[in-house]
Every structure is written in structure tokens, then in C-alpha cells.
Amino acid sequence: MDWNELLRALALVMVIEGLLPFVAPARWRQMMLSVMQLDSRHIRIIGLGSMLGGVVLLNLL
């Protein structure tokens, strides 16, 4: 993998991450407030699940 691919992947992540705050800022704010009420353990579990899902998706592609 070269640097161009990595930068494209990071740019795509930024675009996807920016969709919800752009399209539905009130819902995004509400979701962030809900996440802030979770304890660190639950947030780590969600992060781990997201990373594992990404790894599985990358391997399928």
C-alpha cells in the first residue's frame, strides 16, 4: 500500500464521519450526549466492534 491509498482512505473516513453532523446536526448532538453518558468500558466495546467490523470488511474486499 502506498501513501496515496492511505490518504484516500483517511479522506473517505472524514467524508463519512461528516455526513451525520451535516445532514442531521440535532440528532448528531443528541447521539453524542448519549455516548457521553456511557462508561468507558462500553465505549471501548463499541470501538472494538467497529474495528473488528472494519477488519472483516477489508478482508472481504
Side-chain angles (χ1 to χ4, degrees):
M1 175 168 51
D2 63 0
W3 286 103
N4 284 335
E5 288 182 22
L6 180 61
L7 291 175
R8 286 180 184 167
L10 289 174
L12 185 57
V13 167
M14 292 172 70
V15 168
I16 292 170
E17 288 288 329
L19 282 176
L20 190 57
F22 179 75
V23 173
R27 176 67 181 126
W28 181 81
R29 184 180 294 115
Q30 190 178 44
M31 184 175 58
M32 289 297 110
L33 289 173
S34 297
V35 169
M36 288 182 64
Q37 294 175 354
L38 294 174
D39 63 5
S40 294
R41 182 173 162 261
H42 285 97
I43 294 172
R44 282 191 177 108
I45 291 170
I46 292 168
L48 177 62
S50 177
M51 289 187 300
L52 290 175
V55 168
V56 168
L57 184 59
L58 282 172
N59 283 327
L60 290 174
L61 296 174

Coordinates of all heavy atoms in Angstrom, one line a residue:
M1 N 0.9 -1.2 0.0 CA 0.0 0.0 0.0 C 0.9 1.2 0.0 O 1.8 1.3 0.8 CB -0.9 0.0 1.2 CG -1.7 1.2 1.4 SD -3.0 1.3 2.6 CE -2.3 0.7 4.0
D2 N 0.6 2.2 -0.8 CA 1.4 3.4 -0.9 C 0.6 4.5 -0.1 O -0.5 4.4 0.3 CB 1.7 3.8 -2.3 CG 0.5 4.2 -3.1 OD1 -0.6 4.1 -2.6 OD2 0.7 4.5 -4.3
W3 N 1.3 5.6 0.1 CA 0.8 6.7 0.9 C -0.5 7.3 0.2 O -1.4 7.8 1.0 CB 1.8 7.8 1.0 CG 2.9 7.4 2.0 CD1 4.1 7.0 1.7 CD2 2.7 7.4 3.4 NE1 4.8 6.7 2.9 CE2 4.0 6.9 3.9 CE3 1.7 7.7 4.3 CZ2 4.2 6.8 5.3 CZ3 1.9 7.5 5.7 CH2 3.1 7.1 6.2
N4 N -0.6 7.3 -1.1 CA -1.8 7.8 -1.7 C -3.1 7.1 -1.3 O -4.1 7.6 -1.1 CB -1.7 7.8 -3.2 CG -0.8 8.9 -3.7 OD1 -0.6 10.0 -3.1 ND2 -0.2 8.7 -4.9
E5 N -3.0 5.7 -1.2 CA -4.1 4.9 -0.8 C -4.5 5.2 0.6 O -5.7 5.3 0.9 CB -3.8 3.4 -1.0 CG -3.7 3.0 -2.5 CD -3.4 1.5 -2.6 OE1 -3.7 0.8 -1.6 OE2 -3.0 1.1 -3.6
L6 N -3.5 5.3 1.5 CA -3.8 5.6 2.9 C -4.4 7.0 3.0 O -5.4 7.1 3.8 CB -2.5 5.6 3.7 CG -2.6 5.9 5.2 CD1 -3.5 4.8 5.8 CD2 -1.3 5.9 5.8
L7 N -4.0 8.0 2.3 CA -4.6 9.3 2.4 C -6.0 9.3 1.8 O -6.9 10.0 2.4 CB -3.7 10.3 1.7 CG -2.4 10.6 2.4 CD1 -1.5 11.6 1.5 CD2 -2.6 11.2 3.8
R8 N -6.2 8.5 0.8 CA -7.6 8.4 0.2 C -8.5 7.8 1.2 O -9.7 8.2 1.4 CB -7.6 7.7 -1.1 CG -7.0 8.5 -2.2 CD -7.0 7.7 -3.5 NE -6.4 8.4 -4.6 CZ -6.0 8.0 -5.7 NH1 -6.2 6.7 -6.0 NH2 -5.4 8.7 -6.6
A9 N -8.0 6.7 1.9 CA -8.8 6.0 2.9 C -9.2 7.0 4.0 O -10.3 7.0 4.5 CB -8.1 4.8 3.4
L10 N -8.2 7.7 4.5 CA -8.5 8.7 5.6 C -9.4 9.8 5.1 O -10.3 10.2 5.9 CB -7.1 9.3 6.1 CG -6.2 8.4 6.8 CD1 -4.9 9.0 7.1 CD2 -6.9 7.9 8.1
A11 N -9.3 10.2 3.9 CA -10.2 11.3 3.4 C -11.6 10.7 3.3 O -12.6 11.4 3.7 CB -9.8 11.7 2.0
L12 N -11.8 9.4 2.9 CA -13.1 8.8 2.8 C -13.7 8.7 4.2 O -14.9 8.9 4.4 CB -13.0 7.5 2.2 CG -14.3 6.7 1.9 CD1 -15.2 7.6 1.1 CD2 -14.0 5.4 1.2
V13 N -12.9 8.3 5.2 CA -13.4 8.3 6.6 C -13.9 9.6 7.0 O -14.9 9.8 7.7 CB -12.3 7.8 7.5 CG1 -12.6 8.0 9.0 CG2 -12.0 6.3 7.3
M14 N -13.1 10.7 6.7 CA -13.6 12.0 7.1 C -14.9 12.4 6.4 O -15.7 13.0 7.1 CB -12.5 13.0 6.7 CG -11.2 12.9 7.6 SD -9.8 13.9 7.0 CE -10.4 15.5 7.4
V15 N -15.1 12.1 5.2 CA -16.3 12.4 4.5 C -17.5 11.6 5.2 O -18.5 12.2 5.5 CB -16.2 12.0 3.0 CG1 -17.6 12.0 2.4 CG2 -15.3 12.9 2.3
I16 N -17.3 10.3 5.4 CA -18.3 9.5 6.1 C -18.6 10.0 7.5 O -19.8 10.1 7.8 CB -17.9 8.0 6.1 CG1 -17.9 7.5 4.6 CG2 -18.9 7.2 6.9 CD1 -17.3 6.1 4.5
E17 N -17.6 10.4 8.2 CA -17.8 10.9 9.6 C -18.5 12.2 9.6 O -19.2 12.5 10.5 CB -16.5 11.0 10.3 CG -15.8 9.7 10.7 CD -16.6 9.0 11.9 OE1 -17.1 9.7 12.7 OE2 -16.5 7.8 11.9
G18 N -18.4 13.0 8.5 CA -19.0 14.3 8.5 C -20.4 14.3 8.0 O -21.1 15.3 8.1
L19 N -20.9 13.2 7.5 CA -22.3 13.1 6.9 C -23.3 13.4 7.9 O -24.2 14.2 7.7 CB -22.5 11.7 6.2 CG -21.9 11.5 4.9 CD1 -22.1 10.1 4.4 CD2 -22.4 12.5 3.9
L20 N -23.3 12.7 9.0 CA -24.4 12.8 10.0 C -24.4 14.2 10.6 O -25.5 14.8 10.7 CB -24.3 11.8 11.1 CG -25.5 11.7 12.1 CD1 -26.8 11.4 11.3 CD2 -25.2 10.6 13.1
P21 N -23.3 14.8 11.1 CA -23.4 16.2 11.6 C -23.9 17.2 10.5 O -24.6 18.2 10.9 CB -22.0 16.5 12.0 CG -21.3 15.3 12.1 CD -22.0 14.3 11.2
F22 N -23.6 16.9 9.3 CA -24.1 17.8 8.2 C -25.6 17.7 7.9 O -26.3 18.6 7.8 CB -23.3 17.6 6.9 CG -23.7 18.5 5.8 CD1 -23.3 19.8 5.8 CD2 -24.5 18.0 4.7 CE1 -23.7 20.6 4.7 CE2 -24.9 18.8 3.7 CZ -24.5 20.1 3.7
V23 N -26.0 16.4 7.8 CA -27.4 16.1 7.4 C -28.4 16.3 8.6 O -29.5 16.9 8.4 CB -27.5 14.7 6.9 CG1 -28.9 14.3 6.6 CG2 -26.7 14.6 5.6
A24 N -28.0 15.9 9.8 CA -28.9 15.9 10.9 C -28.1 16.4 12.2 O -27.8 15.6 13.1 CB -29.5 14.6 11.2
P25 N -27.8 17.7 12.3 CA -27.0 18.1 13.4 C -27.6 17.9 14.8 O -27.0 17.6 15.8 CB -26.7 19.6 13.1 CG -27.7 20.0 12.1 CD -28.1 18.8 11.4
A26 N -29.0 18.1 14.9 CA -29.6 17.9 16.1 C -29.6 16.5 16.6 O -29.3 16.2 17.8 CB -31.1 18.4 16.0
R27 N -29.8 15.6 15.7 CA -29.7 14.1 16.0 C -28.3 13.7 16.4 O -28.1 12.9 17.3 CB -30.2 13.3 14.8 CG -30.1 11.8 15.0 CD -31.0 11.3 16.1 NE -30.9 9.9 16.2 CZ -30.6 9.3 17.4 NH1 -30.5 10.0 18.5 NH2 -30.5 8.0 17.5
W28 N -27.3 14.3 15.7 CA -25.9 14.0 16.0 C -25.6 14.5 17.4 O -24.9 13.8 18.2 CB -25.0 14.7 15.0 CG -23.6 14.4 15.2 CD1 -22.8 13.3 14.8 CD2 -22.6 15.3 15.8 NE1 -21.5 13.5 15.1 CE2 -21.4 14.7 15.8 CE3 -22.7 16.6 16.4 CZ2 -20.2 15.3 16.3 CZ3 -21.6 17.2 16.9 CH2 -20.4 16.5 16.8
R29 N -26.0 15.7 17.8 CA -25.8 16.2 19.1 C -26.4 15.3 20.1 O -25.8 15.0 21.2 CB -26.3 17.7 19.2 CG -26.0 18.3 20.5 CD -26.5 19.7 20.6 NE -25.9 20.6 19.6 CZ -26.5 21.2 18.6 NH1 -27.7 21.0 18.4 NH2 -25.8 22.0 17.8
Q30 N -27.6 14.9 19.9 CA -28.3 14.0 20.8 C -27.6 12.7 21.0 O -27.4 12.2 22.1 CB -29.7 13.8 20.3 CG -30.7 13.1 21.2 CD -32.1 13.0 20.5 OE1 -32.2 12.6 19.4 NE2 -33.1 13.2 21.3
M31 N -27.1 12.2 19.9 CA -26.3 10.9 20.0 C -25.0 11.1 20.8 O -24.7 10.2 21.6 CB -26.0 10.4 18.6 CG -25.3 9.1 18.5 SD -25.1 8.5 16.8 CE -24.1 9.8 16.1
M32 N -24.3 12.2 20.6 CA -23.1 12.5 21.3 C -23.4 12.6 22.8 O -22.6 12.2 23.6 CB -22.4 13.8 20.8 CG -21.8 13.6 19.4 SD -20.5 12.4 19.4 CE -21.2 11.1 18.4
L33 N -24.5 13.2 23.2 CA -24.8 13.3 24.6 C -25.1 12.0 25.2 O -24.8 11.7 26.3 CB -26.1 14.2 24.8 CG -25.8 15.7 24.5 CD1 -27.1 16.5 24.5 CD2 -24.9 16.3 25.5
S34 N -25.7 11.1 24.4 CA -26.0 9.7 24.8 C -24.7 9.0 25.0 O -24.5 8.2 26.0 CB -26.9 9.0 23.8 OG -28.1 9.5 23.7
V35 N -23.7 9.1 24.1 CA -22.4 8.5 24.2 C -21.7 9.0 25.5 O -21.0 8.2 26.2 CB -21.6 8.7 22.9 CG1 -20.2 8.2 23.1 CG2 -22.2 8.0 21.8
M36 N -21.8 10.3 25.8 CA -21.1 10.8 26.9 C -21.6 10.2 28.2 O -20.9 10.2 29.2 CB -21.2 12.3 27.0 CG -20.4 13.0 25.9 SD -20.6 14.8 25.9 CE -19.8 15.1 27.5
Q37 N -22.8 9.7 28.2 CA -23.4 9.1 29.5 C -22.9 7.6 29.6 O -23.1 7.1 30.7 CB -24.9 9.1 29.4 CG -25.4 10.6 29.5 CD -26.9 10.7 29.4 OE1 -27.6 9.7 29.1 NE2 -27.4 11.9 29.5
L38 N -22.3 7.0 28.6 CA -21.8 5.7 28.7 C -20.5 5.6 29.5 O -19.8 6.6 29.5 CB -21.6 5.1 27.3 CG -22.8 4.8 26.4 CD1 -22.4 4.4 25.0 CD2 -23.7 3.8 27.0
D39 N -20.3 4.5 30.2 CA -19.0 4.4 30.8 C -17.9 4.0 29.8 O -18.2 3.6 28.7 CB -19.0 3.5 32.0 CG -19.4 2.0 31.7 OD1 -19.5 1.7 30.5 OD2 -19.5 1.2 32.6
S40 N -16.7 4.1 30.2 CA -15.5 3.9 29.3 C -15.5 2.5 28.8 O -15.1 2.2 27.6 CB -14.2 4.2 30.0 OG -14.1 5.6 30.3
R41 N -15.9 1.5 29.6 CA -15.9 0.1 29.2 C -16.8 -0.1 28.0 O -16.5 -0.8 27.0 CB -16.4 -0.8 30.3 CG -16.4 -2.2 30.0 CD -16.6 -3.0 31.3 NE -17.0 -4.4 30.9 CZ -18.3 -4.8 30.9 NH1 -19.3 -4.0 31.2 NH2 -18.6 -6.0 30.5
H42 N -18.0 0.5 28.0 CA -19.0 0.3 26.9 C -18.5 1.0 25.6 O -18.6 0.5 24.5 CB -20.3 0.9 27.3 CG -21.1 -0.1 28.2 ND1 -21.1 0.1 29.6 CD2 -21.8 -1.2 28.0 CE1 -21.8 -0.8 30.1 NE2 -22.2 -1.6 29.2
I43 N -17.8 2.2 25.8 CA -17.3 2.9 24.7 C -16.2 2.1 24.0 O -16.1 2.0 22.8 CB -16.8 4.3 25.1 CG1 -18.0 5.1 25.5 CG2 -16.1 5.0 23.9 CD1 -17.7 6.5 26.1
R44 N -15.3 1.5 24.8 CA -14.3 0.6 24.3 C -14.8 -0.6 23.6 O -14.3 -1.0 22.5 CB -13.4 0.1 25.4 CG -12.4 1.2 25.9 CD -11.3 0.6 26.8 NE -10.4 1.6 27.2 CZ -10.3 2.2 28.4 NH1 -11.1 1.8 29.4 NH2 -9.4 3.1 28.6
I45 N -15.9 -1.2 24.1 CA -16.5 -2.3 23.4 C -17.1 -1.9 22.0 O -16.9 -2.6 21.1 CB -17.6 -3.0 24.3 CG1 -17.0 -3.6 25.5 CG2 -18.5 -3.9 23.5 CD1 -18.0 -4.1 26.6
I46 N -17.7 -0.7 22.0 CA -18.2 -0.2 20.7 C -17.1 0.0 19.7 O -17.1 -0.3 18.6 CB -19.0 1.0 20.9 CG1 -20.3 0.7 21.7 CG2 -19.4 1.7 19.6 CD1 -21.1 1.9 22.2
G47 N -16.0 0.6 20.2 CA -14.8 0.9 19.4 C -14.2 -0.4 18.9 O -13.8 -0.5 17.7
L48 N -14.1 -1.4 19.7 CA -13.5 -2.7 19.3 C -14.4 -3.4 18.3 O -13.9 -3.9 17.3 CB -13.4 -3.7 20.6 CG -12.9 -5.1 20.3 CD1 -11.5 -5.0 19.7 CD2 -13.0 -5.9 21.5
G49 N -15.7 -3.3 18.5 CA -16.6 -3.9 17.5 C -16.5 -3.2 16.1 O -16.5 -3.8 15.1
S50 N -16.3 -1.9 16.2 CA -16.2 -1.1 14.9 C -14.9 -1.5 14.2 O -14.9 -1.7 13.0 CB -16.2 0.4 15.3 OG -16.0 1.1 14.1
M51 N -13.8 -1.6 15.0 CA -12.5 -2.0 14.4 C -12.6 -3.4 13.8 O -12.1 -3.7 12.7 CB -11.4 -1.9 15.4 CG -11.0 -0.5 15.8 SD -9.6 -0.4 16.9 CE -10.0 -1.3 18.3
L52 N -13.2 -4.3 14.5 CA -13.3 -5.7 14.1 C -14.1 -5.8 12.8 O -13.8 -6.5 11.9 CB -13.8 -6.6 15.1 CG -12.9 -6.9 16.3 CD1 -13.6 -7.7 17.4 CD2 -11.6 -7.6 15.9
G53 N -15.2 -5.0 12.8 CA -16.1 -5.0 11.6 C -15.3 -4.4 10.4 O -15.4 -4.9 9.3
G54 N -14.5 -3.4 10.6 CA -13.7 -2.8 9.5 C -12.6 -3.8 9.0 O -12.4 -3.9 7.8
V55 N -12.0 -4.6 9.9 CA -11.0 -5.6 9.5 C -11.7 -6.7 8.7 O -11.2 -7.1 7.7 CB -10.3 -6.2 10.8 CG1 -9.5 -7.4 10.4 CG2 -9.4 -5.1 11.4
V56 N -12.9 -7.1 9.2 CA -13.6 -8.2 8.4 C -14.0 -7.6 7.0 O -13.8 -8.3 6.0 CB -14.9 -8.6 9.2 CG1 -15.8 -9.4 8.3 CG2 -14.5 -9.4 10.4
L57 N -14.5 -6.4 7.0 CA -14.8 -5.8 5.7 C -13.6 -5.7 4.7 O -13.7 -6.0 3.6 CB -15.5 -4.5 5.9 CG -16.0 -3.8 4.6 CD1 -17.1 -4.6 3.9 CD2 -16.6 -2.4 5.0
L58 N -12.5 -5.2 5.3 CA -11.3 -5.1 4.5 C -10.8 -6.5 3.9 O -10.4 -6.6 2.8 CB -10.1 -4.5 5.3 CG -10.2 -3.0 5.4 CD1 -9.1 -2.6 6.4 CD2 -10.0 -2.3 4.1
N59 N -11.0 -7.5 4.8 CA -10.6 -8.9 4.3 C -11.5 -9.4 3.3 O -11.1 -10.2 2.4 CB -10.5 -9.8 5.5 CG -9.2 -9.6 6.3 OD1 -8.2 -9.3 5.8 ND2 -9.3 -9.8 7.6
L60 N -12.8 -9.0 3.3 CA -13.7 -9.5 2.3 C -13.5 -8.8 1.0 O -13.8 -9.4 -0.1 CB -15.2 -9.2 2.8 CG -15.7 -10.1 3.9 CD1 -17.0 -9.6 4.4 CD2 -15.7 -11.6 3.5
L61 N -13.0 -7.6 1.0 CA -12.7 -6.8 -0.2 C -11.4 -7.3 -0.8 O -11.1 -7.2 -1.9 CB -12.7 -5.3 0.1 CG -14.0 -4.8 0.5 CD1 -13.8 -3.3 0.9 CD2 -15.1 -4.9 -0.5

